[in-house]
Every structure is written in structure tokens, then in C-alpha cells.
Amino acid sequence: MPEEYAADRHPSSPDTWSVVRERLKAGDYVIGMTVTSNNVETGAYAATLGFHFLWCEMEHSPLSLESLRTLVLATRGLSAPVFARVPWAELWLAKRALDQGVQGVIFPFVSTVERARIAAQGCHYPPFGRRGSGAGLAVTTWPASGSYYDSADANVLVVCVIEEASGVEQIEEIAATPGIDVLFIGVSDLSFSLGLRGRQDDPVLNQAIAKIVSAAKRNGKWLGRPAGSAEEVERFHAQGFQFFQSVTELGLMKIGAKSLLESLGIKEKPREQSTFY
């Protein structure tokens, strides 16, 4: 078995250049657009618009490893790095995403200490983790020169999503797990897990969120959650959240269309089952 991950025992790497990590260290927030469609033009253009990262959604969308790699290639040299939310916290899913060159991995349903450890181990090389050393593709698109292994260990962001009641129950142990950078609260799934069917204004959900926030702060983990508007980003940032998942490319299209068309008196058409969207 590998040694337990310990951040202060990394192989030395002077290039902690990650814009996302450095902003988080400074107490600033980062906001990422969610990519759900397999359209490289859309993803690459989004990386020029001011978002701090792209959240590639591989849990809830048809994005594949091929499309993930294409997006990494298309955004090379642009300011917004590519992060991937994999479908589950497994070593082989983490390493396959990382080997495409992403700079962060987001793990859903991290509800046990075991899953938290798997997330940390999957994103770090031995002796601190269990990531395999087959990063030939990632090396070709990595922004820094020198040792990819040291640089990746120092810069890849590990994000664990807490979205089940069982995760809240074990949050102290999860938050104390070395090698995890961000605890992200999946507020919708957490609401469902608590029996609230998605309601976001229930005191039970607020209590669960407060428990996660407290544990993260005690253990030096950054906090994240979804935010769909500038007002939400500012409000949640004031509460200590820094890592935000924003709207999808389709959501941005809807916002833009509504802004343009409603000023012309054109309303959104009611949806019909026979239409594509």
C-alpha cells in the first residue's frame, strides 16, 4: 500500500503556477463554465471569455475521453484550464482523465473516508498516491516544462463533492483526509438525499451545509458550490465559498437569447415534446 498522502512531502516543484490554486490561496473566488456538449468550438471560445476554468461534465453529459482530450488540445495556451468531473471516485477514472492533460479532477458522491482517500490517491503519484505513470499525452499539453510528475502533483486540484446525507455524517473524517483541496457541496443532490426533493430553502439543508462549511474551515479545505448568477457568487463568497460551478454553455445561450429577444417583445416558445430541445 502507498504511504498516506502528505502535501509537505511532495517531490520539490518550484512551478506552482496554477492560476486557480493561486487565486484560492489568496482568498479569491474562481468560477468555471460547465461544458456539457461535444463541441470544441464552444468549449475553446468559453476559455477566452474570462472564466477561471472549464468544468467538463462527464457525469451528467455524453462527454467522452476523446472529447475531453480534444478540449485540452483546443484550449492549450488559453487562460482557463480544463477540469473534469468524472462519473465516480475510482482510481482508473481519475487516471484516465488526468492522462488527457486536465488540471483538476472533480469526484462526485464522496460520502465516505474511503472514497475521499481514493480521490486523493488517484491524483497523486507514488509514494503518496497510486496514479500510474503513463502521462504521455498529458506531457505534450502541460503548461510547464521540467518534471511533469512533480508539476502535476503540485498543481492538480482535487475536488470532492459532498452530496449525500451519509457524507455529511462523515464530514469531519472526509475533511481531514490529506490530498483533497476542495469540498464542493452538491446542494441539489444533497437536498434529495435529505428527503427534500431539491428544495433549497429548507432549514434541514441549511444545517447540513453549515456542518460541511465548518468542517472544511477547520481542516483547511477550500469550499465550493454551484452559483448561477453574479449575485450568488458574491453572496456565497462572503460566506467563505471560493470554488464555483456556473451555468452550462446552453444556459449561457438561454441567458443571452432572453436578454436580446425579450427587449424586442419576443417571448420564449413553450416547449413541445416533438422538438429537439
mmCIF file of all heavy atoms in Angstrom, residues 11 18 24 27 38 70 76 78 89-90 93 111-112 116-117 129 138 160 175 186-187 217 224 249 254 260 277:
data_model
loop_
_atom_site.group_PDB
_atom_site.id
_atom_site.type_symbol
_atom_site.label_atom_id
_atom_site.label_comp_id
_atom_site.label_asym_id
_atom_site.label_seq_id
_atom_site.Cartn_x
_atom_site.Cartn_y
_atom_site.Cartn_z
ATOM 1 N N PRO A 11 7.613 15.617 -3.898
ATOM 2 C CA PRO A 11 8.862 15.947 -4.597
ATOM 3 C C PRO A 11 8.884 17.444 -4.883
ATOM 4 O O PRO A 11 7.860 18.036 -5.228
ATOM 5 C CB PRO A 11 8.765 15.130 -5.891
ATOM 6 C CG PRO A 11 7.825 14.021 -5.567
ATOM 7 C CD PRO A 11 6.841 14.593 -4.588
ATOM 8 N N SER A 18 -0.457 27.160 -11.036
ATOM 9 C CA SER A 18 -1.894 27.044 -11.293
ATOM 10 C C SER A 18 -2.626 28.330 -10.912
ATOM 11 O O SER A 18 -2.630 28.745 -9.742
ATOM 12 C CB SER A 18 -2.484 25.877 -10.506
ATOM 13 O OG SER A 18 -3.898 25.919 -10.528
ATOM 14 N N LEU A 24 -7.203 30.743 -5.160
ATOM 15 C CA LEU A 24 -7.797 30.184 -3.948
ATOM 16 C C LEU A 24 -6.916 30.467 -2.732
ATOM 17 O O LEU A 24 -7.415 30.823 -1.652
ATOM 18 C CB LEU A 24 -8.005 28.682 -4.116
ATOM 19 C CG LEU A 24 -9.053 28.260 -5.158
ATOM 20 C CD1 LEU A 24 -9.034 26.745 -5.347
ATOM 21 C CD2 LEU A 24 -10.446 28.730 -4.770
ATOM 22 N N GLY A 27 -7.451 33.801 -1.301
ATOM 23 C CA GLY A 27 -8.774 34.096 -0.776
ATOM 24 C C GLY A 27 -9.764 34.561 -1.819
ATOM 25 O O GLY A 27 -10.911 34.901 -1.490
ATOM 26 N N ASN A 38 -20.494 18.183 -26.845
ATOM 27 C CA ASN A 38 -19.268 17.795 -27.525
ATOM 28 C C ASN A 38 -19.033 18.718 -28.717
ATOM 29 O O ASN A 38 -19.138 18.321 -29.875
ATOM 30 C CB ASN A 38 -19.368 16.334 -27.972
ATOM 31 C CG ASN A 38 -18.070 15.837 -28.582
ATOM 32 O OD1 ASN A 38 -17.024 16.425 -28.377
ATOM 33 N ND2 ASN A 38 -18.150 14.757 -29.333
ATOM 34 N N THR A 70 -9.689 16.455 -26.805
ATOM 35 C CA THR A 70 -9.797 17.482 -27.848
ATOM 36 C C THR A 70 -9.926 18.869 -27.233
ATOM 37 O O THR A 70 -9.318 19.833 -27.713
ATOM 38 C CB THR A 70 -11.015 17.195 -28.753
ATOM 39 O OG1 THR A 70 -10.843 15.924 -29.378
ATOM 40 C CG2 THR A 70 -11.171 18.261 -29.811
ATOM 41 N N ARG A 76 -5.187 24.801 -25.183
ATOM 42 C CA ARG A 76 -3.782 24.953 -24.801
ATOM 43 C C ARG A 76 -3.335 26.397 -25.039
ATOM 44 O O ARG A 76 -3.540 26.969 -26.106
ATOM 45 C CB ARG A 76 -2.912 24.004 -25.625
ATOM 46 C CG ARG A 76 -1.456 24.010 -25.202
ATOM 47 C CD ARG A 76 -0.635 23.057 -26.038
ATOM 48 N NE ARG A 76 0.720 22.940 -25.519
ATOM 49 C CZ ARG A 76 1.674 22.232 -26.083
ATOM 50 N NH1 ARG A 76 1.423 21.571 -27.205
ATOM 51 N NH2 ARG A 76 2.876 22.173 -25.550
ATOM 52 N N LEU A 78 -4.586 28.978 -23.550
ATOM 53 C CA LEU A 78 -5.635 29.905 -23.136
ATOM 54 C C LEU A 78 -5.681 29.977 -21.613
ATOM 55 O O LEU A 78 -5.092 29.158 -20.904
ATOM 56 C CB LEU A 78 -6.981 29.462 -23.698
ATOM 57 C CG LEU A 78 -7.064 29.416 -25.231
ATOM 58 C CD1 LEU A 78 -8.438 28.952 -25.694
ATOM 59 C CD2 LEU A 78 -6.735 30.785 -25.828
ATOM 60 N N ALA A 89 -15.764 8.187 -7.915
ATOM 61 C CA ALA A 89 -14.436 8.268 -7.302
ATOM 62 C C ALA A 89 -13.754 6.912 -7.379
ATOM 63 O O ALA A 89 -13.856 6.086 -6.470
ATOM 64 C CB ALA A 89 -14.550 8.731 -5.858
ATOM 65 N N GLU A 90 -13.068 6.687 -8.500
ATOM 66 C CA GLU A 90 -12.309 5.458 -8.721
ATOM 67 C C GLU A 90 -10.931 5.820 -9.260
ATOM 68 O O GLU A 90 -10.779 6.791 -10.002
ATOM 69 C CB GLU A 90 -13.018 4.548 -9.727
ATOM 70 C CG GLU A 90 -14.283 3.890 -9.207
ATOM 71 C CD GLU A 90 -14.003 2.753 -8.223
ATOM 72 O OE1 GLU A 90 -12.817 2.494 -7.938
ATOM 73 O OE2 GLU A 90 -14.971 2.145 -7.748
ATOM 74 N N LEU A 93 -10.739 5.879 -13.171
ATOM 75 C CA LEU A 93 -11.407 7.022 -13.789
ATOM 76 C C LEU A 93 -10.576 8.292 -13.624
ATOM 77 O O LEU A 93 -10.478 9.107 -14.546
ATOM 78 C CB LEU A 93 -12.795 7.209 -13.172
ATOM 79 C CG LEU A 93 -13.845 6.177 -13.565
ATOM 80 C CD1 LEU A 93 -15.096 6.332 -12.712
ATOM 81 C CD2 LEU A 93 -14.195 6.299 -15.050
ATOM 82 N N SER A 111 -18.837 10.215 -0.184
ATOM 83 C CA SER A 111 -19.641 10.124 1.036
ATOM 84 C C SER A 111 -18.990 9.307 2.132
ATOM 85 O O SER A 111 -19.588 9.112 3.190
ATOM 86 C CB SER A 111 -21.018 9.534 0.700
ATOM 87 O OG SER A 111 -21.679 10.331 -0.267
ATOM 88 N N THR A 112 -17.769 8.801 1.871
ATOM 89 C CA THR A 112 -17.049 8.021 2.865
ATOM 90 C C THR A 112 -15.584 8.421 2.857
ATOM 91 O O THR A 112 -15.075 8.981 1.875
ATOM 92 C CB THR A 112 -17.141 6.508 2.586
ATOM 93 O OG1 THR A 112 -16.451 6.221 1.358
ATOM 94 C CG2 THR A 112 -18.594 6.047 2.475
ATOM 95 N N ALA A 116 -12.861 9.367 -0.260
ATOM 96 C CA ALA A 116 -12.002 10.547 -0.194
ATOM 97 C C ALA A 116 -10.539 10.163 -0.395
ATOM 98 O O ALA A 116 -9.791 10.840 -1.109
ATOM 99 C CB ALA A 116 -12.190 11.255 1.142
ATOM 100 N N ARG A 117 -10.124 9.067 0.216
ATOM 101 C CA ARG A 117 -8.744 8.610 0.053
ATOM 102 C C ARG A 117 -8.467 8.175 -1.380
ATOM 103 O O ARG A 117 -7.390 8.431 -1.928
ATOM 104 C CB ARG A 117 -8.470 7.467 1.021
ATOM 105 C CG ARG A 117 -8.378 7.905 2.479
ATOM 106 C CD ARG A 117 -8.286 6.713 3.411
ATOM 107 N NE ARG A 117 -8.158 7.128 4.802
ATOM 108 C CZ ARG A 117 -8.372 6.343 5.846
ATOM 109 N NH1 ARG A 117 -8.725 5.061 5.636
ATOM 110 N NH2 ARG A 117 -8.241 6.792 7.071
ATOM 111 N N GLY A 129 0.528 8.475 -3.639
ATOM 112 C CA GLY A 129 -0.730 8.093 -4.253
ATOM 113 C C GLY A 129 -0.554 6.862 -5.105
ATOM 114 O O GLY A 129 0.454 6.155 -5.002
ATOM 115 N N ALA A 138 -0.577 13.833 -21.673
ATOM 116 C CA ALA A 138 -0.667 14.992 -20.785
ATOM 117 C C ALA A 138 0.594 15.842 -20.843
ATOM 118 O O ALA A 138 0.527 17.080 -20.805
ATOM 119 C CB ALA A 138 -0.930 14.530 -19.352
ATOM 120 N N CYS A 160 -13.682 17.198 -4.089
ATOM 121 C CA CYS A 160 -14.611 16.146 -3.659
ATOM 122 C C CYS A 160 -15.984 16.750 -3.428
ATOM 123 O O CYS A 160 -16.125 17.737 -2.688
ATOM 124 C CB CYS A 160 -14.121 15.484 -2.382
ATOM 125 S SG CYS A 160 -12.675 14.433 -2.626
ATOM 126 N N ALA A 175 -13.180 15.618 5.588
ATOM 127 C CA ALA A 175 -12.478 16.902 5.509
ATOM 128 C C ALA A 175 -11.041 16.798 5.993
ATOM 129 O O ALA A 175 -10.178 17.567 5.566
ATOM 130 C CB ALA A 175 -13.232 17.954 6.328
ATOM 131 N N GLY A 186 -22.736 19.648 -3.361
ATOM 132 C CA GLY A 186 -23.733 19.447 -4.415
ATOM 133 C C GLY A 186 -25.111 19.664 -3.811
ATOM 134 O O GLY A 186 -25.770 18.718 -3.369
ATOM 135 N N VAL A 187 -25.539 20.912 -3.790
ATOM 136 C CA VAL A 187 -26.722 21.279 -2.994
ATOM 137 C C VAL A 187 -28.005 20.619 -3.491
ATOM 138 O O VAL A 187 -28.915 20.346 -2.704
ATOM 139 C CB VAL A 187 -26.887 22.815 -2.934
ATOM 140 C CG1 VAL A 187 -25.753 23.447 -2.143
ATOM 141 C CG2 VAL A 187 -26.942 23.419 -4.340
ATOM 142 N N LYS A 217 -13.490 24.432 6.982
ATOM 143 C CA LYS A 217 -12.665 25.511 7.527
ATOM 144 C C LYS A 217 -11.725 24.987 8.604
ATOM 145 O O LYS A 217 -10.566 25.414 8.683
ATOM 146 C CB LYS A 217 -13.563 26.620 8.069
ATOM 147 C CG LYS A 217 -14.294 27.396 6.975
ATOM 148 C CD LYS A 217 -15.167 28.500 7.543
ATOM 149 C CE LYS A 217 -15.829 29.306 6.422
ATOM 150 N NZ LYS A 217 -16.701 30.375 6.961
ATOM 151 N N GLY A 224 -16.622 24.914 -2.120
ATOM 152 C CA GLY A 224 -17.241 25.205 -3.400
ATOM 153 C C GLY A 224 -18.706 24.858 -3.400
ATOM 154 O O GLY A 224 -19.198 24.094 -2.559
ATOM 155 N N GLU A 249 -22.921 25.876 -21.159
ATOM 156 C CA GLU A 249 -22.927 26.651 -22.399
ATOM 157 C C GLU A 249 -24.342 26.860 -22.917
ATOM 158 O O GLU A 249 -24.675 27.924 -23.460
ATOM 159 C CB GLU A 249 -22.032 26.006 -23.464
ATOM 160 C CG GLU A 249 -22.531 24.673 -24.017
ATOM 161 C CD GLU A 249 -22.200 23.489 -23.125
ATOM 162 O OE1 GLU A 249 -22.905 23.308 -22.112
ATOM 163 O OE2 GLU A 249 -21.271 22.723 -23.463
ATOM 164 N N LYS A 254 -29.183 30.538 -23.387
ATOM 165 C CA LYS A 254 -30.529 30.942 -22.993
ATOM 166 C C LYS A 254 -30.538 32.336 -22.380
ATOM 167 O O LYS A 254 -31.409 33.163 -22.683
ATOM 168 C CB LYS A 254 -31.098 29.935 -22.001
ATOM 169 C CG LYS A 254 -32.527 30.248 -21.565
ATOM 170 C CD LYS A 254 -33.078 29.150 -20.661
ATOM 171 C CE LYS A 254 -34.523 29.457 -20.268
ATOM 172 N NZ LYS A 254 -35.095 28.379 -19.408
ATOM 173 N N LEU A 260 -31.611 39.429 -25.380
ATOM 174 C CA LEU A 260 -31.806 40.040 -26.695
ATOM 175 C C LEU A 260 -33.274 40.087 -27.096
ATOM 176 O O LEU A 260 -33.806 41.132 -27.488
ATOM 177 C CB LEU A 260 -31.008 39.256 -27.740
ATOM 178 C CG LEU A 260 -31.259 39.634 -29.208
ATOM 179 C CD1 LEU A 260 -30.801 41.054 -29.474
ATOM 180 C CD2 LEU A 260 -30.559 38.651 -30.141
ATOM 181 N N TYR A 277 -35.205 20.393 -28.487
ATOM 182 C CA TYR A 277 -34.952 20.918 -27.144
ATOM 183 C C TYR A 277 -36.248 21.365 -26.514
ATOM 184 O O TYR A 277 -37.108 21.919 -27.140
ATOM 185 C CB TYR A 277 -33.963 22.079 -27.184
ATOM 186 C CG TYR A 277 -32.541 21.609 -27.159
ATOM 187 C CD1 TYR A 277 -31.724 21.719 -28.273
ATOM 188 C CD2 TYR A 277 -32.010 21.020 -26.009
ATOM 189 C CE1 TYR A 277 -30.413 21.268 -28.233
ATOM 190 C CE2 TYR A 277 -30.696 20.577 -25.963
ATOM 191 C CZ TYR A 277 -29.903 20.702 -27.076
ATOM 192 O OH TYR A 277 -28.614 20.261 -27.042
#
